[in-house]
Amino acid sequence: MDSMTTTTAQFNKKGSKKGFTLVEVIITMGLLTMIIAVGLSAITFISQSSTALTNYTIMSTNGRQALEILARDLRMGYDINAASGTALDFQIYGKAGTNDKIVYQYDETADVLYRTINGGTKETIMDDLTSFSFNYYNLRRLPTTAKISIKEVQIEGVLRRKSLRISNSNHIISARFMMRNRAVSN
């Protein structure tokens, strides 16, 4: 005869409980929500910081390049045809003994500083300008508006760059560029 063994499972009330209680699930979900919120805010902050850094880098590079072009032109300048707060028209000694007419013009509707040579095409020197002005000084380094006494030129402006929803601005004040070849009175 085969002996058959029968086992009876006895269940313990305390041991039969498998899973989490509602309170444990709610606490866990709350903690996970807070961790996700902190992570997303960190990612947002890093993204905005990166965008702002990119904006400042672009503005700085564009401003530096524009100042180099302006400085080169002004150092070669020998005569001023017209000068105002937003425009400067002057003559420079060009290549191979030529004389060139250079015009810098700020267009506040387009927020752009243009440069033209001998009435040719407008070249954008700086963009994203919310304000811009030329400042003029005489030989004694005093401010002047008289075309005949201008010896130094300085520019001042505010660049504003917007990327996504982030807007950054950069205020520029150049050094005073001397028109070395210009003979002036005073």
Side-chain angles (χ1 to χ4, degrees):
M1 186 171 155
D2 283 334
S3 83
M4 193 187 246
T5 313
T6 313
T7 3
T8 324
Q10 292 185 357
F11 292 100
N12 184 355
K13 286 186 178 179
K14 288 184 181 178
S16 67
K17 184 167 103 173
K18 294 184 181 180
F20 300 104
T21 65
L22 182 60
V23 174
E24 292 172 329
V25 171
I26 290 174
I27 291 173
T28 303
M29 293 301 290
L31 288 173
L32 284 174
T33 303
M34 285 193 301
I35 290 170
I36 290 171
V38 167
L40 287 176
S41 66
I43 289 170
T44 302
F45 176 76
I46 291 169
S47 172
Q48 289 176 344
S49 297
S50 174
T51 301
L53 181 62
T54 301
N55 285 345
Y56 283 121
T57 302
I58 290 170
M59 287 187 294
S60 179
T61 301
N62 291 347
R64 196 171 27 254
Q65 289 171 345
L67 289 175
E68 287 176 13
I69 294 168
L70 178 66
R72 183 190 63 221
D73 287 346
L74 286 170
R75 287 185 187 118
M76 295 303 293
Y78 68 89
D79 192 22
I80 295 179
N81 303 319
S84 72
T86 58
L88 178 60
D89 178 340
F90 60 104
Q91 299 294 128
I92 67 168
Y93 293 117
K95 297 176 183 174
T98 63
N99 296 332
D100 295 324
K101 178 181 175 179
I102 305 290
V103 177
Y104 284 90
Q105 176 71 48
Y106 170 59
D107 182 350
E108 66 181 283
T109 57
D111 294 338
V112 173
L113 178 65
Y114 293 111
R115 174 181 182 255
T116 57
I117 302 173
N118 297 324
T121 347
K122 286 182 179 179
E123 173 188 2
T124 300
I125 297 298
M126 260 195 285
D127 55 1
D128 299 324
L129 283 164
T130 57
S131 69
F132 179 85
S133 66
F134 285 104
N135 302 313
Y136 306 106
Y137 299 89
N138 63 18
L139 200 54
R140 294 184 185 144
R141 304 191 64 114
L142 298 173
T144 185
T145 55
K147 179 176 86 164
I148 195 163
S149 65
I150 296 172
K151 183 67 175 176
E152 296 178 334
V153 178
Q154 179 183 45
I155 66 167
E156 186 172 351
V158 176
L159 293 161
R160 185 171 315 277
R161 184 164 170 80
K162 188 171 183 174
S163 181
L164 302 173
R165 293 180 308 170
I166 299 169
S167 179
N168 302 103
S169 60
N170 194 5
H171 188 251
I172 325 171
I173 298 178
S174 73
R176 293 180 186 174
F177 301 114
M178 183 176 288
M179 297 181 80
R180 294 179 184 160
N181 299 310
R182 178 163 167 75
V184 295
S185 59
N186 284 357

